[in-house]
């Protein structure tokens, strides 16, 4: 889907230069969004301090009404509740799916998780069905893992 190695290298370079997670999260979203025309929306959600809601950090795509998502709701909230990535080939068949854009057909959510701590997730939408193969999930996971390293380093 895209060159995660190149992006991971770039994110590490930003870390080495002293950039903080905010800059890395924005860079990652922009780069993933531009990587594949099948991706219609890319965003990062971070868990709030109470750990009961996802808050939208930044995104590329059409504005969404789901800037805050309770844990357990939608594809995004389910990933947190189940502590598991969600690769949904047909969103219409997903219980409690939260619609952003009626043209979206498939969705991939990859957790930003260093070990047992979950910081949030990368969320990708596509207007094509079954857009995300296992290799796409692995590429996005490599980026999420690098973001997780930085978020962990900033944790107080
Ligand atoms: N579809 C998501 C909501 C977020 S939007 O796709 C931007 C969900 O069901 O959780």
């Amino acid at each position: 889907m895209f060159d995660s190695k190149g992006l991971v290298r770039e994110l590490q370079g930003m870390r080495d230069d002293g950039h903080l997670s905010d800059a890395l999260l924005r860079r990652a979203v922009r780069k993933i969004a531009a990587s594949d025309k099948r991706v219609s929306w890319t965003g990062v959600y971070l868990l709030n301090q109470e750990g009961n809601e996802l808050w939208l950090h930044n995104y590329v795509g059409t504005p969404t009404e789901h800037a805050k998502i309770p844990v357990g709701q939608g594809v995004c909230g389910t990933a947190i509740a189940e502590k598991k990535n969600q690769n949904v080939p047909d969103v219409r068949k997903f219980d409690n799916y939260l619609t952003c854009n009626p043209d979206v057909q498939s969705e991939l959510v990859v957790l930003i998780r260093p070990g047992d701590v979950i910081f949030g997730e990368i969320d990708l939408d596509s207007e094509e069905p079954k857009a995300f193969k296992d290799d796409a999930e692995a590429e996005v996971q490599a980026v999420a893992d690098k973001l997780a390293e930085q978020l962990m380093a900033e944790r107080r």
Side-chain angles (χ1 to χ4, degrees):
M1 190 179 101
F2 70 103
D3 174 21
S4 69
K5 282 204 186 73
L7 178 53
V8 167
R9 225 178 293 120
E10 185 183 345
L11 294 172
Q12 182 57 48
M14 290 175 74
R15 298 189 67 204
D16 296 341
D17 289 343
H19 292 276
L20 297 178
S21 57
D22 197 47
L24 273 70
L25 292 167
R26 289 175 197 283
R27 183 66 191 146
V29 164
R30 266 150 198 69
K31 202 87 185 247
I32 294 172
S35 68
D36 190 325
K37 58 181 181 351
R38 287 174 306 164
V39 179
S40 58
W41 193 94
T42 308
V44 164
Y45 284 93
L46 295 179
L47 265 179
N48 65 348
Q49 207 151 20
E50 289 74 29
N52 61 358
E53 248 180 7
L54 285 161
W55 291 357
L56 184 57
H57 176 276
N58 87 99
Y59 69 95
V60 171
T62 50
T64 174
E65 64 191 74
H66 302 295
K68 291 189 176 177
I69 300 177
V71 168
Q73 281 190 26
V75 183
C76 293
T78 298
I80 303 295
E82 294 184 359
K83 299 181 166 47
K84 229 173 95 205
N85 293 347
Q86 305 287 314
N87 191 344
V88 182
D90 180 353
V91 294
R92 280 160 304 190
K93 294 192 178 138
F94 193 91
D95 274 353
N96 77 31
Y97 173 69
L98 302 172
T99 306
C100 264
N101 161 359
D103 295 329
V104 169
Q105 300 211 44
S106 54
E107 178 161 354
L108 173 66
V109 170
V110 173
L111 293 171
I112 301 174
R113 161 164 66 175
D116 282 345
V117 190
I118 298 179
F119 283 109
E121 59 192 37
I122 300 175
D123 181 19
L124 307 185
D125 285 344
S126 177
E127 293 177 10
E128 288 181 20
K130 299 186 220 152
F132 305 106
K133 310 284 178 254
D134 287 352
D135 61 328
E137 185 175 336
E139 301 282 349
V140 178
Q141 187 70 65
V143 175
D145 289 349
K146 184 52 71 183
L147 297 172
E149 268 182 53
Q150 181 59 31
L151 286 161
M152 197 64 181
E154 285 171 28
R155 205 176 179 213
R156 294 161 226 218

